[in-house]
Amino acid sequence: MRRIVNCPASTWVKSACVLALAVGQLVAQSGDASKGKALVESSGCLGCHRIEDKGSRTGPNLSEIGDKRKPERIQQSIVAPDEEVLPENRYVSVVLKDGTTVKGRLLNHDAISVQLIDTKEQLRSFQTSAISGYTILLKGLMPSFAGKLSDQQIADIVAYLSSLKGTDQP
Amino acid sequence: VIQGVFRPCLLFFFSLASLLPAQVTYDRILHADREPQNWLTYGGGYANQRYSLLTGLTRGNVKDLELKWVYHPKYLDKMEATPLVVDGVLYTVQNSEVVAMDAATGRAFWTFRYAVPPGSNAYVMVVKGLAISGDTLFWATYDGHLIAIDAKTGQGLWNKVIVDWHKGYQLNVAPLIVKNMLIMGPATNERGVNCWVAAYDVKTGNELWRFYTAPVSPDDTAFSSWAGDSWKTRRQSDLGDGFLRSGNESDLLGDWQSQSGLERRPTPGRQSLLGFGGGAGRGYGQTEMALSVHAARRVRLGLGAGPRADRYRMARQTTQSDALGQP
């Protein structure tokens, strides 16, 4: 059984400096949360992400992202998503012995098995003895929107996401 | 401007979520007998039959059963919950953790943790089981909370205080789902507090109706069966045994009959104690009631043997749920 882990790029320090400048400029721009909400809902973001009871569970849930991340970090995730992928948001590609590939968000894995939620939101579990191998994907999961959205549009989305605090739980 | 700018967020993922059917629909629960490989409610279905309809295991081959896997929970407390099984995923709860695992291997998909406040009913640790509706699991906790959990991811959706454990209440029941309603009732620790059966909205946890199992005022039909002011404290001192009674606990799960729209729910109400000394039938203790789940209306009443059984008449508790209408 073969397992492969993609390592972060070696140019991390250089790209981080460029990002710091870009993010600093964007954060200084104030955003409109209502416009950001419309952008998120109309643009396909919910094709991967979930907010409250809308959207897909295959990507990170953003319902409480405003409580978990500062605006600067949210902005960075939009313009440079590969810089940091949290362990709970990693993806895995499992190759079965018949050559079939199953991809999904990694939920759990150990020496003898791997569990994921696939693209149809089904919970799947595989015994490593019954598969050819699996690859944990750390990069290339989400495209960067730097240069594809205007600074103002990104600021609007950041304003909206920063406002998502989830529900108060006693 | 935006059109054409966005492309799928993930390189190989695109959403099918909006096209996916709800995981456990009312129709699936109603016809749970059609999928005996699953276990969709605490009792197995609305018939609450509590035994598997699978036929592969027989008296003849039961001796051939072999250990397939073992799951070690984090805590050493008792495990008394009846697990739910939905399409190969087993959901169960113990102590302060809900876990989803692969039914074939026992490997966990996710674990949901909820810390019960110290000093609450934590020592009770009674959790009979979970309920599921759509893609949402429900856990009624012994410190009086109702928690909704995403069955796919284990993420908490909402956490609502249903009863105040400071007053002696606790939730031990595995809730019953009927359409958009989650039906359950609290238990107590021999405190003199009234209990009830209530329905809660599965989306919000908001209460839809409530049916008290002991009188709340002299106008209640059950009032006449309580001696003196005992209905106020639910202390049945006339029995002379010194026990502080609870208000007819309603933590036993009833079944639901789709044809009549009735839920049949036993209220043990310290059944054995009530029966002792001739107190049987103290309204609505030691009783089997039929409630309309659409209006909290008691439409049928069966009583344990007791001298006051004939005092009960058909009656209706006024609740705001009347606005919900009939099925």
Side-chain angles (χ1 to χ4, degrees), chain B residues 241-273:
Chain B
D241 54 15
F243 282 102
L244 186 63
R245 307 297 184 178
S246 59
N248 294 342
E249 295 179 310
S250 55
D251 63 338
L252 285 188
L253 183 68
D255 57 31
W256 188 66
Q257 301 167 5
S258 60
Q259 296 301 315
S260 60
L262 304 179
E263 187 205 25
R264 188 168 58 90
R265 176 178 290 264
T267 57
R270 297 298 165 201
Q271 191 168 34
S272 59
L273 295 178

Short mmCIF file of all heavy atoms in Angstrom, two decimals, chain B residues 241-273:
data_model
loop_
_atom_site.label_atom_id
_atom_site.label_comp_id
_atom_site.label_asym_id
_atom_site.label_seq_id
_atom_site.Cartn_x
_atom_site.Cartn_y
_atom_site.Cartn_z
N ASP B 241 -45.69 7.49 52.54
CA ASP B 241 -44.42 6.76 52.50
C ASP B 241 -43.23 7.71 52.44
O ASP B 241 -42.09 7.29 52.40
CB ASP B 241 -44.38 5.78 51.33
CG ASP B 241 -44.67 6.46 50.00
OD1 ASP B 241 -44.60 7.70 49.96
OD2 ASP B 241 -44.94 5.75 49.03
N GLY B 242 -43.48 8.99 52.40
CA GLY B 242 -42.41 9.96 52.51
C GLY B 242 -41.65 10.23 51.22
O GLY B 242 -40.74 11.04 51.20
N PHE B 243 -42.00 9.56 50.17
CA PHE B 243 -41.30 9.80 48.91
C PHE B 243 -41.73 11.12 48.30
O PHE B 243 -42.89 11.49 48.34
CB PHE B 243 -41.58 8.68 47.91
CG PHE B 243 -40.78 7.44 48.19
CD1 PHE B 243 -41.36 6.35 48.80
CD2 PHE B 243 -39.44 7.38 47.83
CE1 PHE B 243 -40.63 5.22 49.06
CE2 PHE B 243 -38.70 6.23 48.09
CZ PHE B 243 -39.29 5.15 48.71
N LEU B 244 -40.77 11.82 47.75
CA LEU B 244 -41.09 13.04 47.02
C LEU B 244 -41.29 12.65 45.57
O LEU B 244 -40.38 12.21 44.89
CB LEU B 244 -39.94 14.05 47.13
CG LEU B 244 -40.20 15.43 46.55
CD1 LEU B 244 -41.34 16.10 47.30
CD2 LEU B 244 -38.94 16.27 46.63
N ARG B 245 -42.48 12.82 45.10
CA ARG B 245 -42.81 12.27 43.79
C ARG B 245 -42.46 13.23 42.67
O ARG B 245 -42.55 14.43 42.81
CB ARG B 245 -44.32 11.98 43.72
CG ARG B 245 -44.82 11.12 44.84
CD ARG B 245 -44.18 9.76 44.79
NE ARG B 245 -44.74 8.91 45.84
CZ ARG B 245 -44.41 7.66 46.02
NH1 ARG B 245 -43.52 7.10 45.24
NH2 ARG B 245 -44.94 6.96 46.98
N SER B 246 -42.15 12.66 41.57
CA SER B 246 -41.98 13.48 40.38
C SER B 246 -43.30 13.57 39.65
O SER B 246 -44.22 12.79 39.89
CB SER B 246 -40.92 12.87 39.47
OG SER B 246 -41.31 11.57 39.10
N GLY B 247 -43.39 14.53 38.80
CA GLY B 247 -44.65 14.81 38.12
C GLY B 247 -44.87 13.95 36.90
O GLY B 247 -44.95 14.44 35.79
N ASN B 248 -44.97 12.69 37.11
CA ASN B 248 -45.26 11.79 36.01
C ASN B 248 -44.25 11.93 34.89
O ASN B 248 -44.52 12.51 33.84
CB ASN B 248 -46.68 12.02 35.48
CG ASN B 248 -47.73 11.65 36.51
OD1 ASN B 248 -47.44 10.93 37.46
ND2 ASN B 248 -48.92 12.15 36.32
N GLU B 249 -43.12 11.43 35.11
CA GLU B 249 -42.07 11.51 34.11
C GLU B 249 -42.56 10.98 32.77
O GLU B 249 -43.34 10.03 32.72
CB GLU B 249 -40.86 10.69 34.56
CG GLU B 249 -40.21 11.23 35.80
CD GLU B 249 -39.05 10.37 36.22
OE1 GLU B 249 -39.22 9.16 36.31
OE2 GLU B 249 -37.97 10.94 36.44
N SER B 250 -42.07 11.59 31.73
CA SER B 250 -42.51 11.17 30.40
C SER B 250 -41.32 10.81 29.54
O SER B 250 -41.23 11.18 28.38
CB SER B 250 -43.31 12.29 29.75
OG SER B 250 -42.54 13.49 29.74
N ASP B 251 -40.39 10.13 30.14
CA ASP B 251 -39.16 9.85 29.40
C ASP B 251 -39.17 8.49 28.74
O ASP B 251 -38.14 8.01 28.30
CB ASP B 251 -37.94 9.99 30.32
CG ASP B 251 -37.95 8.98 31.45
OD1 ASP B 251 -39.05 8.50 31.77
OD2 ASP B 251 -36.88 8.70 31.99
N LEU B 252 -40.30 7.85 28.67
CA LEU B 252 -40.38 6.63 27.88
C LEU B 252 -40.85 6.99 26.49
O LEU B 252 -41.75 7.80 26.31
CB LEU B 252 -41.36 5.63 28.51
CG LEU B 252 -40.86 4.89 29.75
CD1 LEU B 252 -41.85 3.80 30.13
CD2 LEU B 252 -39.50 4.28 29.52
N LEU B 253 -40.23 6.39 25.53
CA LEU B 253 -40.57 6.73 24.16
C LEU B 253 -41.86 6.07 23.75
O LEU B 253 -42.05 4.87 23.92
CB LEU B 253 -39.44 6.27 23.23
CG LEU B 253 -39.62 6.62 21.77
CD1 LEU B 253 -39.49 8.11 21.60
CD2 LEU B 253 -38.59 5.90 20.94
N GLY B 254 -42.73 6.85 23.17
CA GLY B 254 -43.97 6.29 22.66
C GLY B 254 -43.83 5.84 21.23
O GLY B 254 -42.82 6.07 20.59
N ASP B 255 -44.83 5.19 20.74
CA ASP B 255 -44.82 4.89 19.32
C ASP B 255 -45.83 5.82 18.65
O ASP B 255 -46.55 6.56 19.30
CB ASP B 255 -45.12 3.42 19.03
CG ASP B 255 -46.45 2.97 19.63
OD1 ASP B 255 -47.37 3.81 19.74
OD2 ASP B 255 -46.56 1.81 20.01
N TRP B 256 -45.82 5.79 17.36
CA TRP B 256 -46.69 6.71 16.63
C TRP B 256 -47.42 5.96 15.56
O TRP B 256 -46.83 5.16 14.83
CB TRP B 256 -45.87 7.84 16.01
CG TRP B 256 -46.75 8.90 15.42
CD1 TRP B 256 -47.59 9.73 16.08
CD2 TRP B 256 -46.87 9.23 14.04
NE1 TRP B 256 -48.23 10.56 15.21
CE2 TRP B 256 -47.81 10.27 13.95
CE3 TRP B 256 -46.29 8.74 12.88
CZ2 TRP B 256 -48.18 10.84 12.74
CZ3 TRP B 256 -46.65 9.31 11.68
CH2 TRP B 256 -47.59 10.35 11.60
N GLN B 257 -48.71 6.19 15.48
CA GLN B 257 -49.53 5.47 14.52
C GLN B 257 -49.94 6.43 13.42
O GLN B 257 -50.73 7.35 13.63
CB GLN B 257 -50.75 4.88 15.24
CG GLN B 257 -50.34 3.93 16.37
CD GLN B 257 -51.48 3.58 17.29
OE1 GLN B 257 -52.62 3.95 17.05
NE2 GLN B 257 -51.17 2.83 18.33
N SER B 258 -49.36 6.22 12.25
CA SER B 258 -49.55 7.18 11.16
C SER B 258 -50.99 7.25 10.70
O SER B 258 -51.46 8.29 10.26
CB SER B 258 -48.65 6.80 9.99
OG SER B 258 -48.97 5.51 9.51
N GLN B 259 -51.71 6.15 10.81
CA GLN B 259 -53.08 6.16 10.30
C GLN B 259 -53.97 7.09 11.13
O GLN B 259 -54.82 7.79 10.62
CB GLN B 259 -53.65 4.74 10.32
CG GLN B 259 -52.92 3.78 9.40
CD GLN B 259 -52.94 4.22 7.95
OE1 GLN B 259 -53.97 4.63 7.44
NE2 GLN B 259 -51.78 4.18 7.30
N SER B 260 -53.76 7.07 12.41
CA SER B 260 -54.61 7.86 13.28
C SER B 260 -53.98 9.18 13.68
O SER B 260 -54.65 10.05 14.22
CB SER B 260 -54.94 7.07 14.55
OG SER B 260 -53.74 6.74 15.23
N GLY B 261 -52.69 9.34 13.40
CA GLY B 261 -52.01 10.57 13.80
C GLY B 261 -51.79 10.65 15.29
O GLY B 261 -51.67 11.73 15.85
N LEU B 262 -51.75 9.52 15.94
CA LEU B 262 -51.65 9.52 17.39
C LEU B 262 -50.30 9.01 17.85
O LEU B 262 -49.70 8.15 17.21
CB LEU B 262 -52.73 8.61 18.00
CG LEU B 262 -54.17 8.91 17.62
CD1 LEU B 262 -55.09 7.91 18.30
CD2 LEU B 262 -54.56 10.32 18.02
N GLU B 263 -49.83 9.59 18.91
CA GLU B 263 -48.68 9.03 19.57
C GLU B 263 -49.15 8.36 20.84
O GLU B 263 -49.88 8.95 21.64
CB GLU B 263 -47.64 10.09 19.92
CG GLU B 263 -46.38 9.43 20.46
CD GLU B 263 -45.57 10.31 21.37
OE1 GLU B 263 -46.17 11.22 21.97
OE2 GLU B 263 -44.37 10.08 21.48
N ARG B 264 -48.75 7.14 21.04
CA ARG B 264 -49.14 6.42 22.24
C ARG B 264 -47.93 6.40 23.17
O ARG B 264 -46.87 5.90 22.82
CB ARG B 264 -49.54 4.98 21.88
CG ARG B 264 -50.15 4.19 23.01
CD ARG B 264 -50.78 2.90 22.45
NE ARG B 264 -49.80 2.10 21.75
CZ ARG B 264 -49.05 1.15 22.32
NH1 ARG B 264 -49.17 0.91 23.60
NH2 ARG B 264 -48.18 0.45 21.63
N ARG B 265 -48.07 7.02 24.30
CA ARG B 265 -46.90 7.19 25.17
C ARG B 265 -47.22 6.76 26.59
O ARG B 265 -48.13 7.29 27.23
CB ARG B 265 -46.47 8.65 25.17
CG ARG B 265 -45.32 8.95 26.11
CD ARG B 265 -44.93 10.39 26.01
NE ARG B 265 -44.29 10.69 24.75
CZ ARG B 265 -42.98 10.72 24.55
NH1 ARG B 265 -42.17 10.45 25.53
NH2 ARG B 265 -42.47 11.02 23.37
N PRO B 266 -46.47 5.82 27.09
CA PRO B 266 -46.66 5.46 28.49
C PRO B 266 -45.96 6.47 29.40
O PRO B 266 -44.90 7.00 29.06
CB PRO B 266 -45.98 4.10 28.59
CG PRO B 266 -44.94 4.13 27.51
CD PRO B 266 -45.46 5.03 26.42
N THR B 267 -46.55 6.79 30.50
CA THR B 267 -45.92 7.67 31.48
C THR B 267 -45.74 6.88 32.75
O THR B 267 -46.69 6.71 33.51
CB THR B 267 -46.78 8.91 31.76
OG1 THR B 267 -48.05 8.48 32.20
CG2 THR B 267 -46.93 9.76 30.52
N PRO B 268 -44.56 6.38 33.00
CA PRO B 268 -44.37 5.51 34.15
C PRO B 268 -44.65 6.22 35.47
O PRO B 268 -45.27 5.67 36.36
CB PRO B 268 -42.90 5.10 34.04
CG PRO B 268 -42.27 6.19 33.25
CD PRO B 268 -43.31 6.67 32.29
N GLY B 269 -44.21 7.47 35.55
CA GLY B 269 -44.52 8.25 36.74
C GLY B 269 -44.24 7.50 38.02
O GLY B 269 -45.08 7.46 38.92
N ARG B 270 -43.05 6.94 38.12
CA ARG B 270 -42.74 6.12 39.30
C ARG B 270 -43.82 5.07 39.45
O ARG B 270 -44.45 4.93 40.49
CB ARG B 270 -42.65 7.00 40.55
CG ARG B 270 -41.53 8.00 40.49
CD ARG B 270 -40.19 7.31 40.40
NE ARG B 270 -39.16 8.27 39.97
CZ ARG B 270 -38.02 7.91 39.44
NH1 ARG B 270 -37.75 6.64 39.23
NH2 ARG B 270 -37.14 8.81 39.07
N GLN B 271 -44.00 4.39 38.39
CA GLN B 271 -45.14 3.49 38.29
C GLN B 271 -45.27 2.55 39.49
O GLN B 271 -46.32 2.45 40.08
CB GLN B 271 -44.98 2.68 37.02
CG GLN B 271 -46.22 1.90 36.64
CD GLN B 271 -46.09 1.35 35.25
OE1 GLN B 271 -45.01 1.01 34.81
NE2 GLN B 271 -47.18 1.29 34.52
N SER B 272 -44.17 1.93 39.81
CA SER B 272 -44.28 0.95 40.89
C SER B 272 -44.63 1.63 42.21
O SER B 272 -45.40 1.11 43.00
CB SER B 272 -42.97 0.18 41.03
OG SER B 272 -41.91 1.08 41.30
N LEU B 273 -44.10 2.83 42.41
CA LEU B 273 -44.38 3.53 43.66
C LEU B 273 -45.82 4.03 43.68
O LEU B 273 -46.50 3.96 44.69
CB LEU B 273 -43.41 4.70 43.82
CG LEU B 273 -41.94 4.30 43.98
CD1 LEU B 273 -41.08 5.55 44.08
CD2 LEU B 273 -41.75 3.42 45.18
#
